[in-house]
Coordinates of all heavy atoms in Angstrom, one line a residue:
Chain A
A47 N 86.8 -59.9 1.5 CA 87.5 -59.4 0.3 C 86.5 -58.6 -0.6 O 86.9 -57.6 -1.1 CB 88.0 -60.6 -0.5
V48 N 85.3 -59.1 -0.6 CA 84.2 -58.3 -1.4 C 84.0 -56.9 -0.8 O 83.9 -56.0 -1.5 CB 82.9 -59.1 -1.4 CG1 81.8 -58.3 -1.9 CG2 83.0 -60.4 -2.2
S49 N 83.9 -56.9 0.6 CA 83.7 -55.6 1.2 C 84.9 -54.7 1.0 O 84.6 -53.5 1.0 CB 83.3 -55.8 2.6 OG 84.6 -56.1 3.4
R50 N 86.0 -55.2 0.7 CA 87.2 -54.4 0.5 C 87.3 -54.1 -1.0 O 88.3 -53.6 -1.4 CB 88.5 -55.0 1.0 CG 88.4 -55.2 2.5 CD 89.0 -54.1 3.3 NE 90.3 -53.7 3.0 CZ 91.5 -54.4 3.5 NH1 91.3 -55.2 4.4 NH2 92.7 -53.9 3.1
K51 N 86.4 -54.5 -1.8 CA 86.3 -54.3 -3.3 C 87.5 -55.0 -4.0 O 88.0 -54.6 -5.1 CB 86.4 -52.8 -3.6 CG 85.3 -52.0 -2.9 CD 84.5 -51.1 -3.8 CE 83.3 -50.4 -3.3 NZ 82.7 -50.9 -2.1
A52 N 87.9 -56.2 -3.5 CA 89.0 -56.9 -4.2 C 88.3 -57.6 -5.4 O 87.1 -57.9 -5.5 CB 89.5 -58.0 -3.4
N53 N 89.2 -57.9 -6.5 CA 88.6 -58.6 -7.6 C 88.9 -60.0 -7.6 O 88.3 -60.8 -8.3 CB 89.3 -58.0 -8.9 CG 89.2 -56.6 -9.0 OD1 90.1 -55.8 -8.6 ND2 88.0 -56.1 -9.5
L54 N 89.9 -60.4 -6.7 CA 90.3 -61.8 -6.7 C 90.8 -62.1 -5.2 O 91.5 -61.2 -4.7 CB 91.5 -62.0 -7.7 CG 92.3 -63.3 -7.5 CD1 91.5 -64.6 -7.8 CD2 93.6 -63.2 -8.4
V55 N 90.5 -63.2 -4.7 CA 91.0 -63.6 -3.4 C 91.7 -64.9 -3.5 O 91.2 -65.9 -4.2 CB 89.9 -63.6 -2.3 CG1 88.7 -64.4 -2.6 CG2 90.5 -64.0 -0.9
V56 N 92.9 -65.0 -3.0 CA 93.7 -66.2 -3.2 C 93.9 -66.9 -1.8 O 94.3 -66.2 -0.8 CB 95.1 -65.9 -3.8 CG1 96.0 -67.1 -4.1 CG2 94.9 -65.1 -5.1
F57 N 93.6 -68.2 -1.7 CA 93.9 -68.9 -0.5 C 95.0 -69.9 -0.7 O 95.5 -70.1 -1.8 CB 92.6 -69.8 -0.2 CG 91.4 -68.9 0.2 CD1 90.5 -68.5 -0.8 CD2 91.2 -68.6 1.5 CE1 89.4 -67.7 -0.4 CE2 90.1 -67.9 1.9 CZ 89.2 -67.4 0.9
P58 N 95.6 -70.5 0.4 CA 96.7 -71.4 0.2 C 96.4 -72.8 -0.4 O 95.3 -73.1 -0.6 CB 97.3 -71.5 1.7 CG 96.5 -70.6 2.5 CD 95.2 -70.3 1.7
E59 N 97.5 -73.5 -0.5 CA 97.3 -75.0 -1.0 C 96.5 -75.8 0.0 O 96.6 -75.6 1.2 CB 98.8 -75.5 -1.0 CG 98.9 -77.0 -1.3 CD 100.3 -77.6 -1.4 OE1 101.1 -76.9 -0.7 OE2 100.5 -78.6 -1.9
L60 N 95.6 -76.6 -0.6 CA 94.8 -77.5 0.2 C 94.0 -76.8 1.3 O 93.9 -77.3 2.4 CB 95.6 -78.7 0.8 CG 96.1 -79.7 -0.2 CD1 97.1 -80.7 0.4 CD2 95.0 -80.4 -1.0
S61 N 93.6 -75.5 0.9 CA 93.0 -74.7 1.9 C 91.6 -75.2 2.4 O 91.2 -74.9 3.4 CB 92.8 -73.3 1.4 OG 92.1 -73.3 0.1
L62 N 91.0 -76.1 1.6 CA 89.7 -76.6 2.0 C 89.8 -77.8 2.9 O 88.9 -78.2 3.6 CB 88.8 -77.0 0.8 CG 88.1 -75.9 0.1 CD1 87.2 -76.5 -1.1 CD2 87.0 -75.3 1.1
T63 N 91.1 -78.4 3.0 CA 91.2 -79.7 3.8 C 92.3 -79.6 4.8 O 92.3 -80.5 5.7 CB 91.5 -80.8 2.8 OG1 92.7 -80.4 2.1 CG2 90.4 -81.1 1.9
G64 N 93.3 -78.8 4.7 CA 94.5 -78.8 5.5 C 95.5 -79.7 4.7 O 95.1 -80.3 3.7
Y65 N 96.7 -79.6 5.2 CA 97.8 -80.2 4.3 C 98.2 -81.7 4.6 O 98.3 -82.5 3.7 CB 99.0 -79.3 4.4 CG 100.2 -79.8 3.6 CD1 100.2 -79.8 2.2 CD2 101.3 -80.4 4.3 CE1 101.3 -80.3 1.5 CE2 102.3 -81.0 3.6 CZ 102.4 -80.9 2.2 OH 103.4 -81.5 1.5
T66 N 98.5 -81.9 5.9 CA 99.1 -83.3 6.3 C 98.0 -84.3 6.3 O 97.7 -84.9 7.4 CB 99.8 -83.1 7.7 OG1 100.5 -81.8 7.7 CG2 100.8 -84.2 7.9
L67 N 97.5 -84.6 5.2 CA 96.2 -85.4 5.1 C 96.5 -87.0 5.2 O 95.7 -87.7 5.7 CB 95.4 -85.2 3.9 CG 94.9 -83.8 3.7 CD1 94.4 -83.4 2.3 CD2 93.7 -83.6 4.7
K68 N 97.6 -87.4 4.7 CA 97.8 -88.8 4.6 C 96.7 -89.5 4.1 O 96.1 -89.2 3.0 CB 98.3 -89.4 6.0 CG 99.5 -88.7 6.6 CD 99.8 -89.2 7.9 CE 101.0 -88.4 8.6 NZ 102.3 -89.2 8.3
D69 N 96.2 -90.6 4.8 CA 95.0 -91.4 4.2 C 93.7 -90.6 4.0 O 92.8 -90.9 3.3 CB 94.7 -92.6 5.1 CG 95.7 -93.7 4.9 OD1 96.6 -93.6 4.0 OD2 95.7 -94.7 5.7
L70 N 93.7 -89.4 4.7 CA 92.4 -88.6 4.6 C 92.3 -88.0 3.2 O 91.2 -87.6 2.8 CB 92.5 -87.4 5.6 CG 92.3 -87.7 7.1 CD1 92.5 -86.5 7.9 CD2 90.9 -88.2 7.2
A71 N 93.5 -87.9 2.5 CA 93.4 -87.3 1.1 C 92.4 -88.0 0.3 O 91.6 -87.4 -0.3 CB 94.8 -87.4 0.5
A72 N 92.4 -89.4 0.2 CA 91.5 -90.1 -0.5 C 90.1 -89.9 -0.1 O 89.1 -89.9 -0.8 CB 91.9 -91.6 -0.6
E73 N 90.0 -89.8 1.3 CA 88.6 -89.7 1.9 C 88.0 -88.3 1.6 O 86.7 -88.3 1.7 CB 88.7 -90.1 3.4 CG 89.1 -91.5 3.8 CD 89.5 -91.7 5.1 OE1 89.0 -91.0 6.0 OE2 90.3 -92.6 5.4

Side-chain angles (χ1 to χ4, degrees):
Chain A
V48 168
S49 76
R50 299 269 304 273
K51 307 229 174 339
N53 308 97
L54 165 68
V55 54
V56 183
F57 292 92
E59 176 183 15
L60 292 172
S61 55
L62 275 182
T63 58
Y65 176 73
T66 317
L67 294 167
K68 298 176 185 268
D69 282 354
L70 288 173
E73 294 168 28

